[in-house]
Amino acid sequence: EVQLVESGGGLVQPGGSLRLSCAASGFTVSSNYMSWVRQAPGKGLEWVSVIYSGGTTYYADSVKGRFTISRDNSKNTLYLQVDSLRPEDSAVYFCARDTYTSGRYAHEYWGQGTLVTVSS
Amino acid sequence: EIVLTQSPGTLSLSPGERATLSCRASQSVSSNYLAWYQQKPGQAPRLLIYGTSSRATGIPDRFSGSGSGTDFTLTFSRLEPEDFAVYYCQQFGSSPWTFGQGTRVEIK
């Protein structure tokens, strides 16, 4: 069974940093495309970043240069290092295992999310 | 950036009714790269449809997706009580990947 469990969120001051983790089970993170998606309180969904199985990474313009996606194969865990945080980064951060089947793409499996609050 | 506009913002319907949700893109999106998600309060989104019309694992056949180019549709043949939620479309055809703002389906 595919499971994704996020952790690492919390309250941080503007300009601060956090490392979000997404522990996976039931599949191998390094063999899959993995994404982070966030949702500000009461708002819609915003894609943040993706890491492909080959290691290529992409970011939303709003986080480029401040956030870094990575993975630890030995721990089967996905990470999102979030630096230079701004109040507008406050959101629930979801990790997702993506599917790319017969040329079709989607975020197939989702974790329950971890809340990041940026406030002084 | 491709902007996805969903309509209506809120749909008020009764169980058993048919529902049609729209997702319009500001530029053409390949049909392979259009997905729909359902989200209930306090829960993570759940994949319903990918590749415009393919149902995800375990999704009942009362959900169907269609469309091409800039106009895409999610249809419920008959609303069940558990279908009342917020629905989002998303495109993967052009970076950055973008979501629509969501359509809330509420009980009338």
Side-chain angles (χ1 to χ4, degrees):
Chain A
E1 180 191 5
V2 172
Q3 284 197 323
L4 297 164
V5 179
E6 301 94 334
S7 61
L11 175 63
V12 62
Q13 293 188 337
S17 298
L18 287 172
R19 188 176 77 159
L20 309 183
S21 300
C22 171
S25 58
F27 72 99
T28 302
V29 166
S30 62
S31 299
N32 284 269
Y33 296 177
M34 301 290 297
S35 288
W36 287 95
V37 174
R38 68 183 180 182
Q39 185 171 38
K43 303 298 184 184
L45 301 168
E46 180 186 17
W47 170 75
V48 173
S49 182
V50 63
I51 183 167
Y52 292 148
S53 53
T56 301
T57 60
Y58 293 96
Y59 299 91
D61 288 344
S62 58
V63 307
K64 201 174 295 182
R66 301 187 299 121
F67 290 12
T68 304
I69 191 171
S70 64
R71 63 195 181 203
D72 184 328
N73 297 346
S74 66
K75 295 182 179 179
N76 207 34
T77 297
L78 178 73
Y79 299 102
L80 187 68
Q81 178 69 38
V82 295
D83 298 321
S84 303
L85 282 163
R86 306 165 180 168
E88 57 265 34
D89 295 318
S90 296
V92 174
Y93 285 74
F94 297 101
C95 67
R97 191 191 89 170
D98 295 350
T99 182
Y100 188 41
T101 305
S102 301
R104 293 164 292 180
Y105 200 100
H107 304 308
E108 184 175 20
Y109 292 97
W110 297 66
Q112 285 305 301
T114 187
L115 177 63
V116 173
T117 303
V118 185
S119 174
S120 54
Chain B
E1 173 176 321
I2 295 180
V3 176
L4 298 179
T5 302
Q6 292 186 240
S7 60
T10 302
L11 198 52
S12 299
L13 295 168
S14 301
E17 289 194 276
R18 178 184 177 90
T20 301
L21 280 60
S22 172
C23 175
R24 179 161 291 178
S26 60
Q27 303 171 42
S28 183
V29 175
S30 165
S31 59
N32 281 346
Y33 297 130
L34 196 288
W36 290 91
Y37 304 88
Q38 176 193 68
Q39 188 178 33
K40 297 180 180 179
Q43 296 186 16
R46 178 172 74 143
L47 176 65
L48 296 177
I49 300 287
Y50 65 103
T52 295
S53 59
S54 297
R55 277 186 297 276
T57 303
I59 301 303
D61 60 9
R62 65 177 182 273
F63 292 93
S64 63
S66 63
S68 64
T70 60
D71 290 296
F72 299 89
T73 300
L74 176 67
T75 301
F76 310 69
S77 59
R78 282 176 56 87
L79 277 167
E80 297 289 338
E82 61 268 27
D83 298 337
F84 292 93
V86 179
Y87 293 84
Y88 296 95
C89 59
Q90 184 189 19
Q91 67 82 23
F92 298 89
S94 174
S95 184
W97 298 340
T98 49
F99 288 90
Q101 83 280 16
T103 290
R104 180 179 305 278
V105 179
E106 63 178 26
I107 298 176
K108 188 174 182 179

